């Protein structure tokens, strides 16, 4: 931090991104047009599981304007598969989880067998997209249909194997244990056993994916523009596949139209387009259309839980046994990371002495499953928070009361959970007041007692109102690292580049705020460069609610290196002692002596290499520093949610009257941006809870392959939402930041399910799967009516 | 394939000409032929509204029109809103009310809102929500968009937008 007080962190500075985006002057991958550019159309499987006998490309090759048509066989010995382990795990995590992980590598274009509807098997490159698609339609395939492995449960005992080397279709198993779950269950006065299902839906950014690549034969280098959240991962995989030095591969994510995790790993197309550009010596562009996106961009969620909870007559939970299956589809681009999150987050804000978890990541003939906003947390929050409501029902206690009785108290902080996190460090919740968050959430919907009275009165009038609660904690700001380079050149501007890759989070603004405070300069004197591998040697990217913490840490550490030089040089020029110097308003000066100072611009000039420098002995030329921030472990954001719903008994429609989330992500950089992140996440969660569904039939065909069937929430679907931000600083970094990109999306599905069950309590209804469909509600109402007759 | 035709349209007051095959979508013509990439496509099947422009005074989805249908039309796109560096009042309100994050839906949102507000002088909050449901935003959760459009309606029509229904 600068010697001056922070002046930008904590302020809702207007975003510097807005101007260009409002004018339609941003540059998304789809907007790029390079001289001589060719266009790719990809031919995708219409079968869930099939052996490829032959692919006939002749007709496509004969079309005027077609430069190239290829099938998997043509690439088999040319391009290696993408590693199944795009995310690695430290040994300490492995020791704690006892995993068996055999995530299959993903062949870019299979030549032998197809494993999901939407998987690429051929491609055409042509002078324009219309021609490419015409030619693609002429490609004939001879396939032998194989029995599909339709879902995770069926996969366990299926004869068919998605990958021949994975018996039982198991790609990974994980185990975790705290205390002695077996004994605790045997001795528990009461037990609750349930099956919960969290359905499949997806990130669904408004901009589909897209890639443009251009090869430069003079330098034997390639530039790839990809709509991605992880430019450095794409660079690694492209360099590996094309056998080029990473230095000769530049990957840029220009303006990206939303990501939410769906663009958070390397896809085959990232590599294919780069390969085609190099092979053809011309720029190549591929844009995904929405149908392709629904079929082929990663799906998420789709977990089946078998839960057993032990508790006493007061509702105090002593043990949870969490057995679950992840339907990972045909591949699992980030390995067992989602399952790892699910295991680690199950107990949420509750103090539970015994826990046992066992998970299988299953391969099925569905689209690959990868993290989407929440990444394993909405699923377990659903199972845990539904269980609490069911315990409350059994004991005739209020669900709020059962939560309060089980919550970790503020004086227990920091709280050791007794399980390892994905970064290999034993989990310790760092700070916060969980019961206070729930109290505030209840106040936010008008108070518990007041609501119960209203509910009773409404019921007497034949109206069904319900209160739904949902609490969670979220590990944020995960490593392994983020990189940043900070420079001050002769212009005196502070230039910051990091590996963060924004997709709408306002990083250009937020990191300018952070850097301006670190340097005590005007925010307009900070230049921020993001999502470009040519500016930062090593970077990680924007996934997993991590950038506020990790990129800020890297900006700080690299700034510290540069500051050492700035002070040494200024001390030399000003003939003062370094310890008497401070940063103030873009200058370095002697404390208490306003006239003794020099601007950063002057320091930068004094730092130049050459004959006229003014550096003291031993100080290297140039004001430039790079650092790789490796966070000690994650920071723990948390939230409590409360919502009131009313059921329309005629239509089964759930009307959310009011939704409140009390969210704590530590110190906020830009409260307005933070608020937008949480609210955007909440609306995605509401979409997932009520409308959005990637559903498959028994043949493995996706039934929701367009926006006519995959229903996103619209402006008129959104209820009044109130987000109350608490700011308990994290002790794990000097800013007090925690991450907040994902949080909003975690709770709504279970909050809605709990609220609906609360409203329909007179019917004894249980909704233990998502989404909560109108027809499910009508069924409950009909069953109730039938029973009453 | 049928031969291309030369199409002439007025875009934000400037007459532009380009070649388009009969099957070329208007969205592709604007973006790829005329280089007006401010108009985005999010679905190409008429649901998301990202491609919304104003054709002869009415909001239209440029992914549901062929370029040849636009021959001679008077088209307004997002590029025509600001006057140089001076943002259009609705653009300013979008920034003020945090009505954009990634900005991908924004051009379609702006054009949808302009048509909605300028062709209705007595909008209620509910009308605005329903009207803006013609376009999808995945980032913001819509709150800022509704606020910005409401403020714009109040500016344009010089009177407050009526709250309607219990939760307005
Ligand atoms: S692109 Fe035209 S409505 Fe979606
Ligand atoms: S701002 Fe990203 S889709 Fe609306």
């Amino acid at each position: 931090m600068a010697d001056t007080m922070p002046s930008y962190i904590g302020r809702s500075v207007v975003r510097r991104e807005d101007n260009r985006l409002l004018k339609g002057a941003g540059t998304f991958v789809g907007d790029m047009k390079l001289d001589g550019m060719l266009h790719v159309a990809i031919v995708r499987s219409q079968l869930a599981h099939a052996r490829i006998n032959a692919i006939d490309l002749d007709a496509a090759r004969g079309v005027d304007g077609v430069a190239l048509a290829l099938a998997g066989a043509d690439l088999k010995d040319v391009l290696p598969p993408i590693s199944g382990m795009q995310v690695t795990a430290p040994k300490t995590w492995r020791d704690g989880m006892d995993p068996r992980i055999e995530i299959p590598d993903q062949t870019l274009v299979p030549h032998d067998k197809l494993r999901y509807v939407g998987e690429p098997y051929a491609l055409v490159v042509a002078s324009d997209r219309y021609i490419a698609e015409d030619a693609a339609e002429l490609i004939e395939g001879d396939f032998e249909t194989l029995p599909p492995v339709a879902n995770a449960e069926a996969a366990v005992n299926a004869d068919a194997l998605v990958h021949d080397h994975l018996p039982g279709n198991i790609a990974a198993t994980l185990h975790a244990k705290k205390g002695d779950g077996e004994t605790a269950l045997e001795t528990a006065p009461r037990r609750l056993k349930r099956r919960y299902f969290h359905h499949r839906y997806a990130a669904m950014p408004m901009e589909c994916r897209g890639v443009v690549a251009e090869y430069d034969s003079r330098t034997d280098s390639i530039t790839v523009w990809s709509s991605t959240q992880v430019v450095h991962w794409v660079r690694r995989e492209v360099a590996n596949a094309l056998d080029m030095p990473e230095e000769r591969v530049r990957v840029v994510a220009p303006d990206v139209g939303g990501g939410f995790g769906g663009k958070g790993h390397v896809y085959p197309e990232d590599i294919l387009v780069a390969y085609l550009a190099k092979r053809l010596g011309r720029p190549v562009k591929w844009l995904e259309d929405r149908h392709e996106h629904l079929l082929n961009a990663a799906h998420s969620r789709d977990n089946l839980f078998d839960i057993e909870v032990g508790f006493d007559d007061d509702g105090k939970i002593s043990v949870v046994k969490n057995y679950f299956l992840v339907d990972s589809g045909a591949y699992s681009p980030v390995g067992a990371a989602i399952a790892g999150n699910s295991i680690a987050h199950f107990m949420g804000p509750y103090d539970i002495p015994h826990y046992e978890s066992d998970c299988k990541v299953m391969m099925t003939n569905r689209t690959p499953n990868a993290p989407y906003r929440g990444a394993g947390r909405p699923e377990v929050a659903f199972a845990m928070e539904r269980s609490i409501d069911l315990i409350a029902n059994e004991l005739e206690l209020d669900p709020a009361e059962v939560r309060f009785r089980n919550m970790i108290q503020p004086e227990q902080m920091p709280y050791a959970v007794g399980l390892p996190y994905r970064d290999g460090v034993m989990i310790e919740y760092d700070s916060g007041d969980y019961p206070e968050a729930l109290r505030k959430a209840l106040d936010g919907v008008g108070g518990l007692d007041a609501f119960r009275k209203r509910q009773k009165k409404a019921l007497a009038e034949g109206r069904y109102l319900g209160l739904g609660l949902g609490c969670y904690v979220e590990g944020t700001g995960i490593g392994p690292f983020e990189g940043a380079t900070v420079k001050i050149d002769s212009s005196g501007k502070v230039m910051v580049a990091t590996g963060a890759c924004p997709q709408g989070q306002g990083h250009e603004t937020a990191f300018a705020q952070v850097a301006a405070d670190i340097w005590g300069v005007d925010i307009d004197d900070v230049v921020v460069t993001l999502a470009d591998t040519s500016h930062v040697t090593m970077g990680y990217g924007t996934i997993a609610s991590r950038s506020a913490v990790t990129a800020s840490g890297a900006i700080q550490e690299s700034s510290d290196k540069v500051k050492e030089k700035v002070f040494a040089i200024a001390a030399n020029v000003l003939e003062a002692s370094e310890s008497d110097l401070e940063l103030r308003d873009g200058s370095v000066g002697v404390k208490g002596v306003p006239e003794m100072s020099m601007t950063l611009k002057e320091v930068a000039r004094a730092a130049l290499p050459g004959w006229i420098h003014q550096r003291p002995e031993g100080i290297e030329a140039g004001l430039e520093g790079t650092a790789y921030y490796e966070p000690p472990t994650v920071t723990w954001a948390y939230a409590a949610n409360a919502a009131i719903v009313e059921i329309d008994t005629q239509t089964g429609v759930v009307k959310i009257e009011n939704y409140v989330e009390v969210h704590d992500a530590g110190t906020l950089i830009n409260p307005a941006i933070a608020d937008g992140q949480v609210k955007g996440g909440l609306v995605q969660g509401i979409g997932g809870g009520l409308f959005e569904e990637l559903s498959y039939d028994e043949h493995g065909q996706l039934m929701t392959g367009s926006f006519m069937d995959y229903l996103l929430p619209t402006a008129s679907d959104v209820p009044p939402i109130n987000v109350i931000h608490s700011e308990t600083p994290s002790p794990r970094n000097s800013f007090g930041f925690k991450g907040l990109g994902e949080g909003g999306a975690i709770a709504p599905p279970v909050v809605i399910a709990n609220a609906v069950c609360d409203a329909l309590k007179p019917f004894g209804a249980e909704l233990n799967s998502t989404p909560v469909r109108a027809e499910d509600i009508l069924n409950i109402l009909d069953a109730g009516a039938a029973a009453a007759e | 394939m049928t031969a291309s035709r030369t199409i002439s349209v007025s875009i934000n007051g400037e007459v532009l000409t380009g070649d388009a095959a009969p099957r070329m979508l208007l969205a592709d013509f604007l973006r790829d032929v005329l280089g007006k990439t401010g108009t985005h496509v999010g679905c190409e099947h008429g649901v998301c509204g990202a491609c919304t422009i104003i054709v002869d005074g009415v909001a239209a989805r440029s992914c549901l029109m062929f370029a040849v249908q636009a021959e001679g039309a008077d088209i307004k796109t997002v590029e025509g809103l600001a006057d140089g560096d001076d943002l259009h009042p609705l653009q300013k309100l979008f920034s003020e009310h945090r009505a954009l994050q990634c900005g991908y839906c924004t051009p379609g949102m702006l054009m949808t809102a302009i048509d909605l507000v300028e062709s209705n002088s007595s909008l209620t909050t509910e009308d605005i929500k329903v009207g803006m449901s013609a376009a999808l935003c995945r980032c913001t959760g819509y709150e800022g968009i509704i606020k910005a459009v409401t403020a714009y309606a109040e500016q344009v029509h010089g009177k407050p937008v009526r709250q309607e229904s219990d939760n307005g």
Side-chain angles (χ1 to χ4, degrees):
Chain A
M1 204 67 47
D3 303 338
T4 47
M5 287 302 289
S7 56
Y8 289 103
I9 291 174
R11 270 170 52 188
S12 294
V13 172
V14 171
R15 302 190 334 154
R16 34 173 82 175
E17 293 86 346
D18 285 0
N19 200 55
R20 68 172 187 272
L21 295 171
L22 284 163
K23 287 173 157 177
T27 304
F28 296 86
V29 169
D31 302 338
M32 294 184 61
K33 198 172 181 178
L34 303 177
D35 276 349
M37 191 162 77
L38 298 168
H39 299 259
V40 184
I42 294 176
V43 191
R44 299 183 182 278
S45 179
Q46 299 185 7
L47 299 167
H49 200 189
R51 194 150 310 283
I52 301 174
N53 292 330
I55 307 283
D56 183 357
L57 300 166
D58 287 348
R61 284 177 172 148
V63 172
D64 238 12
V66 167
L68 189 67
L70 293 175
D74 303 308
L75 296 170
K76 168 161 85 76
D77 303 318
V78 183
L79 292 173
I82 311 181
S83 163
M85 297 301 292
Q86 293 190 38
V87 173
T88 53
K91 185 178 174 303
T92 41
W93 178 80
R94 292 175 160 269
D95 292 347
M97 287 283 174
D98 177 28
R100 193 175 59 81
I101 298 181
E102 290 176 71
I103 305 289
D105 294 345
Q106 183 172 5
T107 306
L108 305 186
V109 184
H111 61 91
D112 49 357
K113 120 169 170 159
L114 294 168
R115 296 181 170 87
Y116 65 94
V117 173
E119 184 163 28
Y121 65 82
L123 58 86
V124 177
V125 191
S127 53
D128 80 35
R129 176 68 183 245
Y130 286 77
I131 294 174
E133 287 189 23
D134 284 344
E137 280 198 6
L138 301 176
I139 293 176
E140 296 278 351
D142 172 12
F143 305 108
E144 176 193 334
T145 309
L146 300 171
V149 178
N151 59 53
E153 207 184 357
V156 181
N157 297 313
D159 291 330
L161 293 180
V162 180
H163 297 273
D164 293 339
H165 68 287
L166 294 180
N169 292 305
I170 299 170
T173 56
L174 305 177
H175 309 276
K177 215 176 149 127
K178 167 192 185 182
D180 180 357
E182 227 28 78
T183 316
L185 260 183
E186 275 162 27
T187 57
R190 289 165 179 269
R191 287 159 96 156
L192 175 98
K193 214 172 165 171
R194 282 297 182 283
R195 168 164 274 212
Y196 300 109
F197 175 63
H198 202 90
H199 77 296
R200 181 173 272 246
Y201 55 109
M204 218 51 66
M206 293 318 299
E207 180 207 27
C208 295
R209 296 172 45 247
V211 188
V212 170
E214 182 176 39
Y215 176 71
D216 177 25
S217 58
R218 184 180 69 83
T219 55
D220 187 24
S221 61
I222 194 155
T223 305
V224 180
W225 294 266
S226 176
S227 181
T228 182
Q229 301 172 222
V230 284
V231 288
H232 285 86
W233 302 24
V234 175
R235 181 183 66 180
R236 176 189 72 213
E237 297 296 331
V238 168
N240 175 53
L242 304 188
D243 196 18
M244 291 169 75
E246 287 200 6
E247 188 60 29
R248 284 288 184 246
V249 179
R250 176 185 177 205
V251 181
V252 181
D255 285 317
V256 174
F260 321 112
K263 299 173 181 173
H265 62 272
V266 183
Y267 282 89
E269 294 90 350
D270 290 314
I271 299 166
L272 285 170
V273 173
Y275 164 78
L276 293 168
K278 185 173 181 194
R279 170 163 171 178
L280 295 165
R282 286 173 68 177
V284 172
K285 180 180 200 170
W286 168 74
L287 286 184
E288 185 180 60
D289 69 26
R290 182 58 64 183
H291 180 57
E292 276 183 295
H293 184 87
L294 280 150
L295 285 178
N296 183 65
H299 295 175
S300 202
R301 319 288 192 241
D302 207 350
N303 289 4
L304 183 67
F305 293 91
D306 282 306
I307 304 296
E308 198 165 4
V309 185
F311 57 103
D312 66 16
D313 295 343
D314 296 326
K316 181 79 188 88
I317 298 168
S318 53
V319 53
V320 173
K321 226 166 132 181
N322 166 26
Y323 283 18
F324 66 107
L325 297 177
V326 180
D327 185 331
S328 195
Y331 300 97
S332 187
V334 300
I338 304 179
N341 281 349
S342 290
I343 289 176
H345 287 81
F346 198 99
M347 291 179 281
Y350 307 108
D351 185 13
I352 299 169
H354 305 280
Y355 174 69
E356 220 178 283
S357 186
D358 180 299
C359 160
K360 290 187 177 64
V361 178
M362 305 301 299
M363 294 282 106
T364 65
N365 291 118
R366 293 182 169 198
T367 299
N369 182 334
Y372 155 48
R373 209 169 200 170
R377 301 172 184 92
E379 298 90 319
V380 290
F382 188 87
M384 182 72 205
E385 296 289 313
R386 277 298 296 137
S387 299
I388 292 192
D389 273 35
L390 292 169
I391 290 170
N393 280 356
E394 187 175 321
L395 299 174
E396 294 178 12
L397 290 168
D398 198 282
E401 182 55 32
V402 178
R403 284 179 174 80
F404 284 125
R405 289 183 188 179
N406 284 285
M407 267 182 174
I408 295 161
Q409 298 302 310
E411 54 276 12
Q412 289 174 275
M413 289 289 175
Y415 175 90
V417 170
L419 297 171
Y421 201 67
R422 216 148 50 69
D423 58 10
V425 179
M426 291 303 285
I427 298 173
E428 197 183 65
Y429 298 162
D430 52 354
S431 62
D433 186 339
Y434 304 156
E436 177 65 8
L438 182 54
R439 276 192 289 274
K440 281 191 193 161
L442 289 165
D443 289 347
V445 291
L448 184 61
D449 294 343
F451 173 73
R452 293 292 176 215
K453 276 190 204 128
R454 233 185 98 204
Q455 184 182 33
K456 218 167 160 185
K457 191 159 162 269
L459 189 60
E461 294 162 3
R463 289 169 59 209
Y464 296 93
L465 299 186
L467 170 67
L469 302 176
C471 302
Y472 65 85
V473 299
E474 185 197 359
T476 62
I478 193 170
F481 76 95
E482 190 52 273
T485 295
V486 169
K487 302 178 199 176
I488 301 172
D489 71 5
S490 307
S491 70
K493 303 267 183 202
V494 177
M495 283 161 299
V496 174
T498 94
C501 300
Q503 322 109 49
Q505 296 91 334
H507 282 173
E508 287 168 43
T509 308
F511 294 133
Q513 290 179 254
V514 169
D517 279 0
I518 289 174
W519 283 95
V521 298
D522 190 288
I523 196 165
D524 290 336
D525 288 327
V526 180
V527 178
V528 179
T529 306
L530 301 165
D532 183 343
T533 60
S534 69
H535 286 257
V536 187
T537 308
M538 290 179 279
Y540 204 74
T542 296
I543 52 170
S545 304
R546 66 190 300 280
S547 289
V549 172
T550 58
S552 299
I555 294 169
Q556 185 180 39
E557 287 189 355
S558 47
S559 292
D560 284 346
K561 291 187 180 177
V562 180
K563 275 186 193 174
E564 271 181 38
K565 283 187 179 178
V566 166
F567 281 113
I569 294 165
N572 189 42
V573 176
L574 296 171
E575 295 178 0
S577 144
E578 274 185 50
S579 58
D580 290 337
L581 295 178
E582 64 180 2
L583 287 166
R584 56 187 187 219
D585 299 333
S587 298
V588 198
V590 179
K591 290 175 198 161
V593 191
E595 63 282 8
M596 276 190 74
S597 82
M598 59 192 294
T599 62
L600 287 174
K601 189 171 177 166
E602 289 164 343
V603 179
R605 293 205 173 140
L608 289 174
W611 290 325
I612 53 160
H613 78 79
Q614 294 175 279
R615 308 186 309 265
E617 191 111 10
I619 294 293
E620 276 180 27
L623 297 182
E624 178 173 342
T626 294
Y628 299 100
Y629 174 65
E630 299 170 272
T633 182
V634 289
T635 57
W636 286 89
Y638 63 95
N641 292 243
I644 294 175
V645 305
E646 177 162 5
I647 310 296
D648 182 330
T649 51
Q650 296 304 307
T651 60
V653 166
V654 180
K655 184 180 161 201
I656 304 174
E657 188 183 285
N658 190 6
Y659 195 112
V660 176
E661 174 159 291
V662 178
H663 191 273
D664 192 336
T667 306
L668 299 177
I669 301 175
N670 183 316
I673 290 179
D675 195 61
Q677 285 295 305
V678 177
K679 283 188 179 139
L682 284 168
V683 172
Q684 291 190 3
I686 290 170
L690 291 173
F691 319 117
E692 296 175 40
E693 191 172 1
L694 291 160
S695 69
Y696 282 85
D697 72 5
E698 70 275 21
H699 308 295
Q701 289 293 337
L702 181 67
M703 305 306 285
T704 48
S706 83
F707 275 170
M708 314 281 192
D709 317 292
Y710 189 91
L711 302 178
L712 290 171
T714 68
S716 55
D717 296 320
V718 174
I721 293 175
N722 184 14
V723 177
I724 300 165
H725 297 274
S726 296
E727 293 190 53
T728 314
S730 172
R732 299 215 163 119
N733 57 71
S734 61
F735 302 101
F737 297 161
K738 300 179 180 184
L740 53 66
E742 295 171 278
I746 295 174
V750 71
V751 170
I752 292 167
N754 280 343
V756 170
C757 292
D758 186 49
L760 299 180
K761 214 167 155 188
F763 298 86
E766 278 193 28
L767 283 170
N768 293 335
S769 63
T770 59
V772 176
R773 303 183 194 92
E775 68 235 48
D776 302 330
I777 291 172
L778 287 176
N779 286 339
I780 292 171
L781 294 168
D782 288 349
E789 269 164 25
Chain B
M1 207 194 350
T2 330
S4 286
R5 298 234 309 253
T6 301
I7 311 287
S8 227
V9 286
S10 160
I11 309 258
N12 307 317
E14 185 188 357
V15 176
L16 296 175
T17 302
D19 288 345
R23 64 175 177 171
M24 179 176 269
L25 300 179
L26 179 55
D28 289 346
F29 181 68
L30 292 173
R31 292 174 46 79
D32 301 341
V33 179
L34 302 182
K36 300 287 181 193
T37 54
T39 299
H40 297 156
V41 291
C43 72
E44 294 172 285
H45 54 258
V47 180
C48 77
C51 65
T52 304
I53 56 174
I54 295 181
V55 181
D56 294 329
V58 182
R61 296 180 180 230
S62 58
C63 77
L64 293 185
M65 280 180 75
F66 293 112
V68 291
Q69 292 174 279
E71 168 65 41
D74 179 23
I75 290 177
K76 286 198 178 62
T77 68
V78 68
E79 288 96 341
L81 294 181
D83 184 4
D85 285 341
D86 222 0
L87 292 181
H88 181 279
L90 181 62
Q91 290 173 317
K92 284 186 198 154
L93 289 166
F94 259 56
S95 185
E96 223 168 86
H97 289 284
R98 312 288 167 165
L100 69 157
Q101 289 181 18
C102 77
Y104 196 78
C105 71
T106 309
M109 285 288 171
L110 290 168
M111 302 321 278
T112 304
I114 283 174
D115 179 57
L116 177 71
V117 169
E118 294 181 0
S119 55
N120 295 282
S121 58
S122 59
L123 288 167
T124 64
T125 312
E126 197 55 29
D127 295 336
I128 291 178
K129 279 194 184 174
V130 171
M132 293 310 295
S133 296
L136 297 173
C137 173
R138 189 56 158 166
C139 297
T140 63
Y142 302 104
E143 184 189 88
I145 294 172
I146 297 305
K147 281 189 181 161
V149 177
T150 304
Y152 181 57
E154 295 184 342
Q155 242 178 49
V156 170
H157 301 300
K159 59 179 181 191
V161 164
R162 256 185 314 124
Q163 297 282 315
E164 202 187 53
S165 85
D166 43 358
N167 62 16

